[in-house]
Amino acid sequence: MRKDRIVPQEEQEFLNHYSPKDYDRPSVTADILVFSMIDKKLHILLIKRKGHPYKDYWAIPGGFVGINESVEDAAYRELKEETNIDNAYLEQLYTFGNPNRDPRMRVISVAYIALVSASKMKESAGDDASEVCWFPVNDLLEQLETEDILAFDHEEILHTAISRLRGKIHYTDIAFQLLPKEFTMRELMEVYEEILNTKLRLTNIIRDTAPRLIFTGEYRKNDVVHCRPSKVYTFNKDYFKKY
Amino acid sequence: MRKDRIVPQEEQEFLNHYSPKDYDRPSVTADILVFSMIDKKLHILLIKRKGHPYKDYWAIPGGFVGINESVEDAAYRELKEETNIDNAYLEQLYTFGNPNRDPRMRVISVAYIALVSASKMKESAGDDASEVCWFPVNDLLEQLETEDILAFDHEEILHTAISRLRGKIHYTDIAFQLLPKEFTMRELMEVYEEILNTKLRLTNIIRDTAPRLIFTGEYRKNDVVHCRPSKVYTFNKDYFKKY
DNA sequence: GGAATAGTGTCTGTTAGACACTATCTA
DNA sequence: TAGATAGTGTCTAACAGACACTATTCC
């Protein structure tokens, strides 16, 4: 329940005279892990830090949550600033709240995962194009095993995000969120392979996702020579798999 | 990677002169949903609000996160205050960050789930015993379909928690966290039944959880008359099921 | 025709719900 | 012995990985 609670007059009077106490407060940011499939590889958007601390390290984009803005709205705003995309799949990941995460001040970060289709992306991400970069995720993960590249606790945040994606790919629609409206079976499989970082069999992906797909009636010629064209599919939004 | 990064001297100097700007900041609380099995029923700990707003409504216990305290530590502190338990299973649930959640001021709440064994609980929960109450969860959920009982957005938080527990019970160890060190198969099944709010078959629970259990060698006489005693088990902490 | 991928159908091992049946205890 | 729950074993349907085999395209 809970639709429009009737606020008793007594309570209304209390509220009129209430002023928030001046606690010593942490700052709150919304950080956003933007994933996209680019050139058949899963990529994540990172920005290079221009100043201290962690100067020249790469960081997950984020920004402070406004005092009258929901945390989710802050994440959407951040996404818009970085990718110029208004609507995208957005999911809260986890809240990272250790003191000393940021040596400057106490910051609590609510991390979000955004999945965007490369086709939706408009040009120029942000102002300084040179400071923003798409990293191929699996290459990055490998590199992180031996090198420190990410600022703050952002490596931990990235690993948390990957675990989430891997865990959810089989029973949710996240794979489709990374594809354009129309796609082939092979493209869909590539999303699975990139997220799970394994080789899969096209045939099993077909079977598992078929009920959620609609054949558009069109075929697409393949990049490869001597090859039968693929059926073009659309995601059936009305289908919900149990969970 | 990321163990002990060497902070360059240049960066250290920057930090020495950095002072956090005075942004207008939301307050952050750690709210904690404490679950326990009491009298064969899953219960949640709620406190009755003594003041406005939502006077006399029931609320999930919570408190402000200290400026030098991790959010998780704040949750542990809150748990200790309410139940007098030091160590318990604690898991971050979700962060609720809409403005107007609390009519007094902007509050962002990081919600945690705590699972405690009734046997570990010491007496007296908090100061005013009369203000703290254990609610049987499934009865409460039913009541919430027709009545507003919970303060703020706490009904939504509760539903999120229940979904999480139901989703994780089959592939994690949360059921065991609600039981004392030693327990019978029937007690374990009762945890499953309470969380899922369904009737299950003992025999299937036995099969599914067997690899994670250790038979203590002891038997326990049953409450019911004319009945064969149950084997007493312990949770095998070393066993990790894939996920 | 041959190379190459698209797509179908099937085999198999695993898993989860259901339940028949046996085991063991106490009044 | 009867009543009751403990616990074993098995049937079955759903599912997922593997792969044999067919289909279709272009050079």
Side-chain angles (χ1 to χ4, degrees), chain A residues 1-2 95 106 150 152 155, chain B residues 1-2 95 150 152 155:
Chain A
M1 273 248 305
R2 173 59 44 74
T95 297
R106 178 68 195 280
L150 301 189
F152 307 109
E155 183 172 332
Chain B
M1 274 246 312
R2 174 60 42 78
T95 297
L150 301 189
F152 308 110
E155 183 173 332

Side-chain angles (χ1 to χ4, degrees), chain A residues 165-190:
Chain A
L165 291 178
R166 286 182 183 165
K168 289 186 78 166
I169 192 169
H170 284 112
Y171 65 97
T172 65
D173 300 327
I174 57 171
F176 301 106
Q177 306 295 338
L178 287 161
L179 290 168
K181 244 180 209 162
E182 306 201 322
F183 53 87
T184 66
M185 212 40 108
R186 176 156 289 271
E187 287 169 336
L188 178 57
M189 182 182 74
E190 282 158 0

Side-chain angles (χ1 to χ4, degrees), chain B residues 153-221:
Chain B
D153 56 355
H154 290 189
E155 183 173 332
E156 181 192 353
I157 298 179
L158 174 61
H159 281 116
T160 308
I162 298 298
S163 299
R164 172 74 63 89
L165 292 178
R166 287 183 182 164
K168 291 186 77 169
I169 192 170
H170 284 111
Y171 64 96
T172 65
D173 300 328
I174 56 171
F176 301 105
Q177 306 296 338
L178 287 160
L179 290 167
K181 245 180 208 163
E182 306 202 324
F183 53 87
T184 66
M185 215 37 110
R186 175 155 290 269
E187 287 169 336
L188 179 58
M189 182 182 74
E190 281 159 0
V191 174
Y192 274 76
E193 290 187 333
E194 278 292 306
I195 288 179
L196 299 171
N197 198 24
T198 48
K199 282 286 164 198
L200 297 172
R201 281 148 223 272
L202 186 61
T203 153
N204 293 331
I205 300 289
I206 292 175
R207 183 189 53 203
D208 296 343
T209 60
R212 281 179 282 176
L213 299 186
I214 299 168
F215 175 43
T216 61
E218 286 173 27
Y219 292 85
R220 182 179 303 165
K221 204 179 147 182

Side-chain angles (χ1 to χ4, degrees), chain A residues 1-2 5 10-11 14-15 18 20 23-28 52-55 57 64-71 92 94-95 97-99 103-106 108 110 144-148 150-152 155, chain B residues 1-2 5 10-11 14-15 18 20 23-28 52-55 57 64-71 92 94-95 97-99 103-106 108 110 144-148 150-152 155:
Chain A
M1 273 248 305
R2 173 59 44 74
R5 182 177 70 103
E10 190 196 0
E11 177 168 336
F14 167 85
L15 287 172
Y18 185 92
Y23 291 100
D24 205 3
R25 291 173 194 164
S27 301
V28 180
H52 290 298
Y54 290 99
K55 188 170 184 307
Y57 282 66
F64 290 102
V65 176
I67 194 69
N68 286 315
E69 178 187 45
S70 79
V71 184
Q92 188 185 302
Y94 196 82
T95 297
N98 283 341
R104 290 167 296 182
M105 62 197 293
R106 178 68 195 280
I108 294 171
V110 186
L144 287 173
E145 287 173 18
T146 57
E147 271 180 85
D148 250 6
L150 301 189
F152 307 109
E155 183 172 332
Chain B
M1 274 246 312
R2 174 60 42 78
R5 183 177 70 104
E10 191 193 0
E11 177 170 336
F14 166 86
L15 286 173
Y18 184 92
Y23 292 100
D24 205 3
R25 291 172 196 165
S27 301
V28 180
H52 289 300
Y54 290 98
K55 188 171 182 310
Y57 282 66
F64 289 103
V65 176
I67 194 69
N68 286 315
E69 176 188 47
S70 79
V71 184
Q92 187 185 304
Y94 197 81
T95 297
N98 284 340
R104 289 167 296 182
M105 62 198 293
R106 178 66 193 282
I108 294 171
V110 186
L144 286 173
E145 286 173 18
T146 55
E147 272 180 84
D148 251 7
L150 301 189
F152 308 110
E155 183 173 332

Side-chain angles (χ1 to χ4, degrees), chain B residues 41-65:
Chain B
K41 286 204 159 195
L42 182 68
H43 284 66
I44 183 171
L45 188 77
L46 298 175
I47 53 177
K48 194 168 194 171
R49 289 191 52 78
K50 295 184 250 183
H52 289 300
Y54 290 98
K55 188 171 182 310
D56 295 330
Y57 282 66
W58 291 91
I60 296 160
F64 289 103
V65 176

Side-chain angles (χ1 to χ4, degrees), chain A residues 90-113:
Chain A
L90 195 72
E91 165 181 331
Q92 188 185 302
L93 174 63
Y94 196 82
T95 297
F96 296 84
N98 283 341
N100 313 322
R101 290 182 61 242
D102 187 325
R104 290 167 296 182
M105 62 197 293
R106 178 68 195 280
V107 179
I108 294 171
S109 289
V110 186
Y112 282 80
I113 289 175

